[in-house]
């Protein structure tokens, strides 16, 4: 499996020079992508596109990423918000777009360095339109880590996470 990164600015320069360093509680992981660029057209068509941007940049990022999206590319957004999949689907109606939900506490410590402070990470994705067995056989390399799940009723997790964020914000405002 080949993993490519699309980045810009200081992060691009740092990852190109040293790879991506992820600091975790008790360890460090260095990821060296097959390629890192700020020009998606240099990568070519990909099988899976994980959108890990801020939701307010989603439309402009999808426009920039069109050169890597082919007929069979599966697009999986990992962003906070309820309508990200629908927004992508409106822009790319002929493409496969799944829902994604991630529980990872992290922040950028410095260019090319991520500080992951959570200890219980979970990654969920899937599609209501596809049968689970089809999904499972079509994407076998996603079934490795215990914290990663391909599920059919992904909407329950996406909505649950959003309502949890709303509750936390409301509670914080009451303090």
């Amino acid at each position: 499996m080949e993993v490519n990164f699309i980045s810009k600015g200081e992060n691009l320069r740092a990852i190109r020079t040293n790879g991506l360093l992820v600091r975790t509680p008790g360890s460090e992981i260095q990821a060296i992508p097959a390629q890192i660029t700020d020009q998606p057209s240099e990568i070519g068509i990909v099988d899976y596109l994980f959108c890990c941007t801020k939701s307010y940049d989603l439309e402009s990022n999808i426009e920039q990423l069109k050169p890597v999206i082919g007929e069979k590319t599966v697009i999986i957004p990992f962003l906070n918000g309820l309508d990200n999949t629908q927004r992508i689907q409106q822009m790319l109606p002929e493409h496969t777009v799944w829902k994604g939900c991630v529980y990872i506490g992290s922040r950028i410590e410095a260019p090319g360095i991520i500080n992951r402070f959570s200890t219980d990470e979970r990654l969920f994705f899937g599609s209501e339109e596809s049968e689970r067995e089809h999904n499972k056989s079509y994407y076998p390399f996603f079934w490795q880590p215990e914290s990663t799940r391909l599920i059919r009723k992904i909407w329950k997790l996406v909505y649950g996470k959003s309502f949890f964020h709303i509750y936390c914000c409301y509670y914080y405002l009451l303090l």
Side-chain angles (χ1 to χ4, degrees), residues 79 81-86 99-101 103 128 153-167:
L79 302 100
L82 297 174
D83 65 343
N84 297 308
T85 300
Q86 292 83 354
K99 286 179 173 53
C101 184
Y103 293 87
E128 291 88 20
K153 296 188 179 187
I154 184 68
W155 65 270
K156 289 182 179 183
L157 290 168
V158 172
Y159 279 81
K161 182 178 179 187
S162 292
F163 289 128
F164 177 74
H165 284 164
I166 292 168
Y167 172 78

Side-chain angles (χ1 to χ4, degrees), residues 53-77:
T53 185
K54 296 293 185 185
S55 58
Y56 54 77
D57 285 335
L58 184 60
E59 282 80 8
S60 64
N61 281 310
I62 292 297
E63 280 299 320
Q64 294 171 353
L65 293 168
K66 281 185 176 179
V68 303
I69 302 170
E71 183 180 312
K72 294 183 178 183
T73 301
V74 176
I75 304 164
I76 305 172

Side-chain angles (χ1 to χ4, degrees), residues 26-69:
S27 68
E28 289 186 351
I29 302 164
Q30 186 172 22
I32 307 293
Q35 182 176 358
I36 180 160
T37 182
D38 58 357
Q39 300 297 317
S41 59
E42 293 177 3
I43 293 174
I45 303 299
V46 299
D47 296 322
Y48 310 97
L49 176 60
F50 295 98
C51 296
C52 305
T53 185
K54 296 293 185 185
S55 58
Y56 54 77
D57 285 335
L58 184 60
E59 282 80 8
S60 64
N61 281 310
I62 292 297
E63 280 299 320
Q64 294 171 353
L65 293 168
K66 281 185 176 179
V68 303
I69 302 170

Side-chain angles (χ1 to χ4, degrees), residues 97-160:
V97 184
W98 284 9
K99 286 179 173 53
C101 184
V102 62
Y103 293 87
I104 296 176
S106 64
R107 66 180 151 268
I108 297 173
E109 187 175 300
I113 302 173
I114 303 295
N115 179 347
R116 192 195 81 211
F117 50 83
S118 60
T119 57
D120 184 24
E121 297 80 23
R122 291 169 288 154
L123 183 67
F124 302 96
F125 48 90
S127 169
E128 291 88 20
E129 289 78 36
S130 302
E131 290 299 318
R132 181 180 172 93
E133 286 308 309
H134 169 74
N135 294 343
K136 191 173 177 181
S137 64
Y138 195 66
Y139 308 103
F141 64 87
F142 288 130
W143 286 85
Q144 300 300 321
E146 283 297 313
S147 60
T148 303
R149 294 285 184 264
L150 177 66
I151 58 176
R152 187 168 182 213
K153 296 188 179 187
I154 184 68
W155 65 270
K156 289 182 179 183
L157 290 168
V158 172
Y159 279 81

